[in-house]
Amino acid sequence: MGAAAELTQRTPGSPGGRFGRWLERRIPAARSVTLDQRRIFIFPSLPGLFFLLLVLLILLTAINYQNNMAYAVAFLLATLFIVAILHTYANLSGLSLHAVTATSAFPGQQSAFTVRLERGRRAAHYGLRLAWPRGGDTRVNLVDRDSAELALFVPVGKRGWHHPGRLLLESSYPLGLLRCWTWVDLDLRALVYPRPLASPELPGAPTDSPEGAAVPSSGSDDFYGFREYRRGDSLRQVHWKGLAKGQPLQSKYYAAFAERSTWLDWEAFPGIPVEQRLSQLCYWALRCERGGEDYGLRLPGSEIAPARGEAQLERVLTALALFRAGEQRP
């Protein structure tokens, strides 16, 4: 299997290059992160840059014409900008982000990554925007509640563990003159199952006898009926009461009831590439679960006993997703 499938899949769009490596040192991956001055960045937004240009023009006009009113307006606007810096920074400072869970998915689907946002000492936080690279975004205010759980959807790629990248949290509250943001890695991953691939039949499948059908069994104690006597039948099987009543000589017929149990065996698909083989096993696992059948899985080095139900399906799909993935989730 290629190297790309051996590593955790990451969503493109996260900070990369030197800045990405610097971020990894400054804000390392953690399941919980509290924002402070080391983790928060702030810079004038586009309207803020135009605002500063306007203040500069007013100041130059005041200097040129020695106009006290222009001086007052320039200094008032400059003070407003400085106060906005403090409020914009305080709107993110003290917030805590916690990784909650990520839903499993198939390639091409979207996984829901759930994050819990908690406020600190500040009474309220406004205009918070959270987004994954190449994924959805959401906005929230923490005003009359201390925390909020938010689910953001991200498309997933190949099977294995999918890392969505760094989570962007930003705000331009209160005036929109500055943008305050952070990039945090919450070490949150989603499990991506193999893509189901239909195949005409399952090699090594059990007999076509439906579940519960009677199958002849000489060693069974389950009485099923009578049949004509055959030479060699045990005398204990002869229906003597019927013979005493003048009926033809008959023997008692015993049967066992079949239980359909399917094995999804790696060796049943010889000569097929690894990913295609896993996809077909995934398809048959889903099909057996929909049909209410017991099914087990045999892979090189591991085996899952036959069973049915959501827990069994999750065990089988997880084993297929992590087969030779090169990385096991701690």
Side-chain angles (χ1 to χ4, degrees), residues 75-256:
F75 293 145
L76 177 62
L77 294 179
T79 302
L80 180 65
F81 188 85
I82 293 174
V83 172
I85 293 176
L86 300 176
H87 281 276
T88 304
Y89 169 82
N91 194 46
L92 258 61
S93 179
L95 281 171
S96 296
L97 295 99
H98 306 277
V100 179
T101 185
T103 59
S104 303
F106 294 95
Q109 293 182 341
Q110 291 190 336
S111 176
F113 292 84
T114 304
V115 176
R116 186 172 70 254
L117 194 63
E118 294 182 352
R119 66 181 182 181
R121 296 184 301 271
R122 182 178 169 85
H125 299 268
Y126 298 92
L128 306 174
R129 176 180 176 268
L130 295 90
W132 296 109
R134 301 288 182 88
D137 66 337
T138 186
R139 297 178 185 271
V140 65
N141 297 320
L142 288 180
V143 181
D144 54 356
R145 50 180 172 169
D146 293 331
S147 64
E149 285 197 2
L150 310 169
L152 295 94
F153 293 88
V154 178
V156 297
K158 297 180 180 179
R159 73 175 180 92
W161 290 111
H162 180 86
H163 190 288
R166 287 185 173 265
L167 176 68
L168 171 65
L169 171 61
E170 64 178 356
S171 174
S172 56
Y173 175 85
L175 300 178
L177 299 178
L178 297 111
R179 175 177 177 257
C180 191
W181 76 97
T182 186
W183 288 98
V184 294
D185 186 350
L186 294 178
D187 196 24
L188 194 58
R189 308 180 188 185
L191 185 60
V192 183
Y193 301 137
R195 187 189 303 275
L197 179 63
S199 60
E201 60 181 10
L202 177 63
T207 63
D208 294 334
S209 299
E211 184 176 359
V215 178
S217 177
S218 58
S220 174
D221 293 330
D222 296 323
F223 175 72
Y224 187 71
F226 299 102
R227 60 171 173 79
E228 293 183 0
Y229 174 79
R230 297 175 185 171
R231 188 174 182 179
D233 285 349
S234 172
L235 294 178
R236 289 181 298 177
Q237 291 181 267
V238 175
H239 184 38
W240 297 107
K241 291 183 179 180
L243 182 63
K245 295 179 181 180
Q247 297 178 0
L249 186 59
Q250 293 179 317
S251 295
K252 297 177 182 179
Y253 179 54
Y254 296 87

Side-chain angles (χ1 to χ4, degrees), residues 18 40 47 52 86 95 132 149 210-211 222 277 283 311 313 327:
R18 292 184 178 179
I40 296 177
L52 290 176
L86 300 176
L95 281 171
W132 296 109
E149 285 197 2
E211 184 176 359
D222 296 323
R277 193 180 301 198
Y283 165 79
L313 181 62
E327 176 179 329

Side-chain angles (χ1 to χ4, degrees), residues 231-311:
R231 188 174 182 179
D233 285 349
S234 172
L235 294 178
R236 289 181 298 177
Q237 291 181 267
V238 175
H239 184 38
W240 297 107
K241 291 183 179 180
L243 182 63
K245 295 179 181 180
Q247 297 178 0
L249 186 59
Q250 293 179 317
S251 295
K252 297 177 182 179
Y253 179 54
Y254 296 87
F257 292 89
E259 294 184 1
R260 185 175 179 85
S261 182
T262 302
W263 278 102
L264 309 177
D265 197 336
W266 173 267
E267 300 299 335
F269 298 88
I272 299 179
V274 172
E275 292 302 321
Q276 183 178 347
R277 193 180 301 198
L278 292 172
S279 294
Q280 291 189 3
L281 289 171
C282 177
Y283 165 79
W284 282 104
L286 295 171
R287 181 167 173 177
C288 289
E289 181 63 32
R290 286 195 301 267
E293 303 175 14
D294 287 350
Y295 56 97
L297 177 67
R298 289 194 183 105
L299 293 175
S302 65
E303 180 176 302
I304 298 175
R308 72 181 77 175
E310 293 184 3

